[in-house]
Amino acid sequence: MQWKRITAVAATVMLAAVACGSPSSNNNSGGGKVQEGTTQEKATDPTAKGPAAEIDGAKKGGTVTILSDVTPDTFDPTNIYYVDGNQIGKLFYRALTQYKLDEKTGKPVLVPDLAEDLGTKSADGLTWTFKLKQGIKYSDGSLVKAEDYAYSIKRSFAHELYDSGPTYQIQFFKDGEKYKGPYAAGGDNYSGVETPDQNTLVIHLAKKFDDLPFYAAFPLFTPIPKSKDTQKNYEQKPLATGPYMVQSYNAGTSLNLVKNPNWDPNTDPVRHQYVDGYNFKFSQDLIKAQRQVLASNGPDANALSYSNLDTSLLPEVKDQSQLVKGDGPCTITLPMDTRKIPFEVRKLVAAAYPYDAWRKVAGLNSNDSPPASTILPRAVPGFEKYELPGLNGTGKGAQDPAVAADVKAKLAALGKSNFELSQYYSIDDKISTQVFQLRKQVFEAAGFKYKGIGVAKAKIRTYTGDQNAPVNIGKTPAGWCSDWPSGTSWFPVLFKSDAIALGNSIGQLQDKTLDAEIDRVTALDPNAQLKEWGKIDKMILEKYLPAIPLYYSASDFPIGKNLGHVINDVTQGMPEFTSIYVKQP
Amino acid sequence: MSIGSPDSTVGVEEHPASAEPVRAASVAHGKSPTRIAMDRLRKDKLAMVCVGIILFFILVAVFAPLLAKLEGQTFSAFHTDLVDEFGFPTTGPNSQHWLGVEPKTGRDNFARWVYGARPSLIVAFSATLFGTAVGVVAGLLAGFLGGWTDRIISWIIDFVLSLPYLLFAIALVPIVESMRGGSFNLTPEEQASTRFYVLIFVLSFFGWAGLARIIRGEVLSLREREFVLAAKAIGVPTRQVLFKELLPNLVAPIVISASLSLPAYVTAEAGLSFLGVGLVEPVPSWGQTIAVATNWFKADPIFLWLPVLGITALVLSMALLGDAVRDAFDPKTRR
């Protein structure tokens, strides 16, 4: 049990400061074999058609067991937001769009799912029309109707009931702030979504939201028939559209999936139906479960654990092919308040930062937290690898006496000797206090004054989340995870001047030139944006340095010896469940 | 017979052995009960070993800075070059780091261990001292004066015993911090020292009541005895009756209670620190180290064994000594 505790602690510390657009319940992350330094050519493919290409050597049959230490909070399609619920949900919920991972590079491409295309927007960008595939059936054999899509969108406005689900619809859809969902009085009448005929879904927006096709991949866009909606109990026996359906679900303990006979592979460009079923076992002891998976004895050979391998188990890994590695959707940084720390001093902070020592004290290793040199993580299309001198997430920093003396001299030359850096830390968290002590020792050696304000761990996010907090480094968001793999989920949200008011600003930048540049790229076609985000990324670090990139999230989880084609989905940092097969069923 | 020194056995020889009944060597006479008990204790080998161990730890704690200096390390310096990428120490015990280094941070194990003895002992001794003093005075007053004084003190004792002590320990920290100027204005060292004093206060605050109850009961039976009645009759002031007549008769329960509460406080400090509500970084303490070290047991067993051995040896010897003291004071005990 001790192991679980410290893992939870470590996870909290690492992610405590990360405001994930998608709050991830675990800090593992994934990805296929993404090649560094290459820009992706294509972010979307509206023409992808089912069935998905067969995987070499894949066999049918067998049951996969997933042993998980964490427990997804919900499987209600409207309420799913955490990465694990999202990823598991893909096995039985189909939405309007979905991601196809490139077989060679592992990069995600947005493709249609239950929609025929990726939606068409009107000239003013405020009306989106999705053509719907016909003949789709639910797991009980009944036909999916256009009204069901409209109903599930209406359902997502009942945010009081489904309070952990995503909220972009409230922000962007027409009357989003006013409409309270289908259960409220007059709930049937919502003008934001229309179904003129059985193969068309029209969505009206209050303001432009060009990322809607990406957002439409969330399970809240799966069809739900109004007559079958049992509100909070729907997750117990949901109607499935995907290749599997729920046989039994015990909240917090287990989820058993069996084949859905009414799923038609010809309509689905991504999913497969190789195995007979999935058994998810939640709330397992992390160390015990991962040890079982690594040993692969008997039924454990068909098991996997989607949490990152615990460091203490490293010596027990005999076969490296049992570890699935890859990129994740997050970057963690050390933000510096640009209003309080001058640019020249920010550069000295970056030079003095003791990356190597910090990584050790914070318990990070290159398998699950590779050093970062950019703002966009490798998993997001548009990532372009570059390294500014001294900004690659590694190095001794001012632990090297020569560097310390150099920084000290430069600070003095700027007239900023004893410049005070201040941060919050959790007084009741060992890693947080140790990191603080390390930074204090190192930065004071480099001629800074370093102040820490110790607050209770339970409250630290309230303090660090205040954009005007009386500290100048380490305010949240200290990192970011993308809700969808696109630069638009990053730069406009984090670095524009209005991000301060939204409480999302990294470094509290207020710069008109940068705002204009980000707006220019956001207005481009998604495929054309890919080449531009890398330039903006570099420009921000070079000219503004609002944060020091520290590390990317990454996957490194153990799988049983009998499992084939387990790859990481870089959009979630989770295994791609829908293409797994059992080698010897 | 030669003439010996004046105090030699001359006098004894003059009395024939049969003139006086032979006393067994073990039966003392003309000594106070405390002296008798101390004599018994001194003959108890186990008790003496325990005293030795406790003295050893006290010396370690007192000379912690000196010992660390002797080794050439401090308890707070990070040596991250001595741990690998995954946090495992790359060096074992060597001449620079006598007991190796901590995983992840690379801080010196030996220095942290000797400094870690300090909070355990300081907290245990000061809480015992304070708790005993208050408990004895409250118990004496309540038992001897009776009436309203007794009712009020007894009520307070019951009240204190009914308070949830763990909740109190957690809740008091922010209150005291705000009294010291709020956590925003405190340095980490000040915050850590706040925790330290709060811990001592909480332990002693909850420690006195039990003792006070025992003392009150003893006093209730003693105050009707002839020597107390006589003292009162000839007009001896209350203060003198309490401290000159009654207190000496209460030495046994007091010493026993104190010697048993010492190990309890050492464990309580380590336990609370382990749970994260006791001491915090940067103060090194065994409890905190154990909390971290359980996760590194396989890779770095010495890291866990050091504080565990420290606490076990200290608590065991204190507990055994407490038992021995009780046996010594209780004439009915036969081993």
Side-chain angles (χ1 to χ4, degrees):
Chain A
M1 287 310 287
Q2 275 320 306
W3 285 107
K4 267 185 87 168
R5 204 174 61 82
I6 200 71
T7 320
V9 166
T12 340
V13 170
M14 300 327 149
L15 281 189
V18 183
C20 285
S22 53
S24 67
S25 60
N26 57 62
N27 68 336
N28 78 57
S29 315
K33 288 142 243 127
V34 176
Q35 286 162 9
E36 282 186 24
T38 51
T39 311
Q40 190 174 338
E41 296 296 323
K42 217 160 70 169
T44 58
D45 180 8
T47 59
K49 293 270 182 298
E54 290 293 320
I55 289 160
D56 289 343
K59 287 181 187 157
K60 291 205 175 260
T63 305
V64 177
T65 307
I66 288 95
L67 303 169
S68 170
D69 57 315
V70 286
T71 311
D73 55 339
T74 176
F75 285 107
D76 186 293
T78 309
N79 217 6
I80 289 178
Y81 200 172
Y82 290 83
V83 287
D84 46 2
N86 212 331
Q87 194 70 354
I88 297 167
K90 284 179 187 173
L91 285 168
F92 46 101
Y93 297 129
R94 294 179 66 182
L96 291 174
T97 60
Q98 61 181 336
Y99 300 103
K100 187 184 176 73
L101 301 177
D102 189 289
E103 199 54 37
K104 283 196 204 91
T105 64
K107 293 208 172 182
V109 176
L110 189 74
V111 298
D113 193 354
L114 287 179
E116 290 275 6
D117 52 19
L118 295 176
T120 25
K121 66 172 170 177
S122 61
D124 62 358
L126 294 179
T127 305
W128 281 81
T129 311
F130 288 90
K131 287 284 165 206
L132 302 170
K133 281 178 186 158
Q134 294 304 297
I136 304 288
K137 283 179 185 164
Y138 290 112
S139 45
D140 65 354
S142 57
L143 214 57
V144 173
K145 292 197 274 306
E147 298 83 70
D148 300 348
Y149 295 94
Y151 181 74
S152 62
I153 293 174
K154 288 180 192 169
R155 194 178 187 257
S156 70
F157 285 91
H159 195 64
E160 283 83 18
L161 198 58
Y162 310 110
D163 54 356
S164 60
T167 54
Y168 290 89
Q169 71 279 12
I170 296 174
Q171 202 184 337
F172 288 103
F173 286 18
K174 189 179 170 194
D175 293 335
E177 309 280 351
K178 278 182 266 165
Y179 182 60
K180 292 292 169 217
Y183 313 128
D188 285 341
N189 304 315
Y190 172 55
S191 55
V193 53
E194 280 177 336
T195 50
D197 54 53
Q198 274 305 316
N199 47 21
T200 317
L201 176 74
V202 180
I203 295 171
H204 298 285
L205 301 178
K207 46 187 168 185
K208 274 183 82 170
F209 183 34
D210 287 350
D211 282 341
L212 183 63
F214 288 100
Y215 188 42
F218 271 92
L220 79 81
F221 289 91
T222 196
I224 301 171
K226 188 181 179 188
S227 56
K228 297 283 169 61
D229 182 12
T230 48
Q231 304 194 5
K232 275 289 194 187
N233 291 326
Y234 187 70
E235 62 179 354
Q236 294 298 333
K237 239 352 177 182
L239 286 181
T241 42
Y244 294 89
M245 59 186 188
V246 176
Q247 186 189 40
S248 65
Y249 172 50
N250 291 313
T253 327
S254 67
L255 171 74
N256 292 327
L257 303 178
V258 289
K259 276 185 176 176
N260 173 6
N262 291 307
W263 171 76
D264 179 5
N266 295 320
T267 63
D268 199 327
V270 174
R271 297 177 180 85
H272 297 274
Q273 200 183 36
Y274 291 133
V275 300
D276 293 335
Y278 288 87
N279 293 335
F280 289 86
K281 293 192 166 90
F282 303 118
S283 306
Q284 303 285 309
D285 186 280
L286 175 73
I287 300 291
K288 204 171 139 255
Q290 295 199 326
R291 196 166 271 156
Q292 259 174 277
V293 170
L294 285 174
S296 280
N297 289 323
D300 292 337
N302 292 353
L304 69 87
S305 157
Y306 61 75
S307 291
N308 275 349
L309 186 77
D310 194 274
T311 314
S312 70
L313 292 176
L314 274 175
E316 292 174 39
V317 181
K318 301 281 180 290
D319 180 0
Q320 283 299 322
S321 68
Q322 275 190 278
L323 287 183
V324 175
K325 301 184 182 193
D327 296 329
C330 313
T331 306
I332 287 78
T333 66
L334 178 74
M336 298 176 280
D337 192 332
T338 52
R339 298 172 301 185
K340 294 179 181 166
I341 311 178
F343 179 58
E344 293 301 323
V345 179
R346 295 205 291 276
K347 285 208 277 191
L348 292 177
V349 172
Y353 197 81
Y355 302 95
D356 290 348
W358 172 79
R359 290 177 62 86
K360 287 173 186 171
V361 174
L364 307 171
N365 65 68
S366 54
N367 292 346
D368 53 27
S369 345
S373 65
T374 60
I375 295 164
L376 271 190
R378 291 187 297 212
V380 175
F383 165 83
E384 205 160 347
K385 190 181 164 63
Y386 68 88
E387 262 181 38
L388 296 177
L391 268 187
N392 58 6
T394 57
K396 280 174 79 103
Q399 274 210 317
D400 181 352
V403 176
D406 183 49
V407 170
K408 201 170 185 170
K410 282 183 180 158
L411 259 186
L414 288 170
K416 300 278 186 193
S417 286
N418 289 322
F419 186 89
E420 188 182 86
L421 300 173
S422 52
Q423 70 157 107
Y424 288 112
Y425 69 96
S426 308
I427 183 110
D428 42 4
D429 183 293
K430 286 197 178 61
I431 298 180
S432 176
T433 43
Q434 286 173 356
V435 162
F436 164 72
Q437 289 173 50
L438 172 77
R439 286 182 183 162
K440 188 177 162 78
Q441 285 176 16
V442 171
F443 278 108
E444 296 202 332
F448 289 93
K449 221 176 127 200
Y450 203 86
K451 186 183 155 196
I453 301 175
V455 292
K457 191 161 85 188
K459 288 206 191 130
I460 191 158
R461 291 182 80 157
T462 327
Y463 291 113
T464 54
D466 178 6
Q467 299 282 304
N468 297 314
V471 293
N472 55 17
I473 61 174
K475 276 183 236 182
T476 52
W480 194 255
C481 305
S482 33
D483 271 356
W484 44 82
S486 158
T488 47
S489 179
W490 289 75
F491 299 100
V493 206
L494 299 173
F495 298 106
K496 278 177 64 176
S497 308
D498 55 5
I500 300 177
L502 295 171
N504 274 344
S505 184
I506 292 188
Q508 289 75 37
L509 279 175
Q510 286 166 303
D511 190 277
K512 293 246 158 34
T513 339
L514 183 64
D515 287 355
E517 184 65 13
I518 291 176
D519 282 338
R520 180 185 71 79
V521 177
T522 312
L524 296 173
D525 167 79
N527 292 331
Q529 286 176 12
L530 292 180
K531 286 202 171 71
E532 298 293 326
W533 289 129
K535 290 178 199 156
I536 295 225
D537 192 325
K538 194 170 180 182
M539 181 176 101
I540 289 175
L541 285 190
E542 218 165 26
K543 291 197 185 151
Y544 302 96
L545 196 66
I548 307 172
L550 295 174
Y551 66 93
Y552 305 120
S553 67
S555 267
D556 180 27
F557 57 82
I559 59 167
K561 285 179 178 156
N562 200 19
L563 294 182
H565 200 264
V566 185
I567 54 166
N568 284 315
D569 183 346
V570 291
T571 63
Q572 309 286 341
M574 291 273 298
E576 212 283 275
F577 290 121
T578 65
S579 62
I580 297 175
Y581 67 89
V582 175
K583 287 178 190 164
Q584 282 157 352
Chain B
M1 195 186 94
S2 62
I3 297 166
S5 58
D7 61 348
S8 68
T9 53
V10 179
V12 179
E13 294 262 320
E14 280 170 358
H15 296 276
S18 57
E20 228 178 3
V22 180
R23 288 172 193 274
S26 64
V27 180
H29 66 117
K31 286 178 179 174
S32 76
T34 315
R35 276 287 296 283
I36 299 171
M38 284 309 179
D39 284 350
R40 283 174 153 208
L41 197 59
R42 219 168 290 137
K43 289 200 189 89
D44 189 338
K45 282 199 188 97
L46 186 66
M48 286 304 106
V49 172
C50 290
V51 169
I53 294 175
I54 296 168
L55 273 178
F56 167 74
F57 279 107
I58 293 176
L59 288 177
V60 164
V62 170
F63 295 110
L66 207 68
L67 288 170
K69 209 171 175 184
L70 202 65
E71 192 204 17
Q73 301 293 339
T74 64
F75 69 86
S76 59
F78 288 78
H79 299 282
T80 43
D81 44 332
L82 295 179
V83 298
D84 70 8
E85 197 205 344
F86 300 99
F88 298 99
T90 49
T91 58
N94 58 33
S95 59
Q96 261 138 32
H97 299 277
W98 293 350
L99 295 173
V101 294
E102 216 178 48
K104 294 217 299 198
T105 58
R107 294 183 292 193
D108 185 72
N109 272 341
F110 177 76
R112 291 191 75 74
W113 187 75
V114 294
Y115 272 94
R118 292 185 142 188
S120 294
L121 289 168
I122 296 175
V123 166
F125 276 101
S126 35
T128 305
L129 208 65
F130 179 84
T132 308
V134 175
V136 166
V137 172
L140 277 174
L141 287 176
F144 188 72
L145 296 178
W148 276 106
T149 327
D150 185 21
R151 282 194 210 173
I152 292 171
I153 295 179
S154 297
W155 182 83
I156 296 176
I157 293 174
D158 288 342
F159 176 71
V160 168
L161 286 177
S162 70
L163 285 175
Y165 124 87
L166 198 60
L167 281 185
F168 209 76
I170 299 169
L172 208 60
V173 170
I175 298 174
V176 176
E177 272 183 359
S178 71
M179 277 163 34
R180 289 186 73 183
S183 57
F184 279 40
N185 301 317
L186 295 178
T187 64
E189 286 75 19
E190 282 168 340
Q191 285 192 320
S193 75
T194 307
R195 295 278 189 128
F196 192 71
Y197 295 124
V198 165
L199 196 59
I200 294 179
F201 174 76
V202 167
L203 290 180
S204 32
F205 182 78
F206 286 90
W208 68 271
L211 178 63
R213 216 181 227 186
I214 295 170
I215 299 291
R216 174 178 169 271
E218 291 277 320
V219 173
L220 278 181
S221 66
L222 278 177
R223 75 172 185 194
E224 304 304 330
R225 299 268 290 273
E226 294 82 354
F227 69 98
V228 180
L229 292 176
K232 271 163 80 175
I234 59 169
V236 177
T238 308
R239 221 174 68 105
Q240 273 201 25
V241 177
L242 282 179
F243 292 102
K244 287 266 160 68
E245 305 289 338
L246 287 175
L247 194 56
N249 287 293
L250 296 171
V251 169
I254 294 170
V255 170
I256 292 164
S257 150
S259 62
L260 289 180
S261 62
L262 269 176
Y265 288 148
V266 173
T267 347
E269 181 271 320
L272 288 174
S273 302
F274 180 88
L275 293 174
V277 292
L279 301 174
V280 290
E281 298 253 359
V283 175
S285 87
W286 290 342
Q288 288 185 73
T289 309
I290 293 177
V292 178
T294 43
N295 300 297
W296 294 91
F297 178 59
K298 269 197 173 168
D300 194 4
I302 202 171
F303 181 44
L304 178 66
W305 281 121
L306 279 175
V308 166
L309 278 178
I311 288 183
T312 313
L314 188 58
V315 169
L316 189 68
S317 50
M318 278 179 166
L320 288 176
L321 182 64
D323 271 351
V325 169
R326 193 184 57 204
D327 291 348
F329 273 96
D330 187 352
K332 291 193 283 288
T333 314
R334 286 283 177 275
R335 289 234 178 187

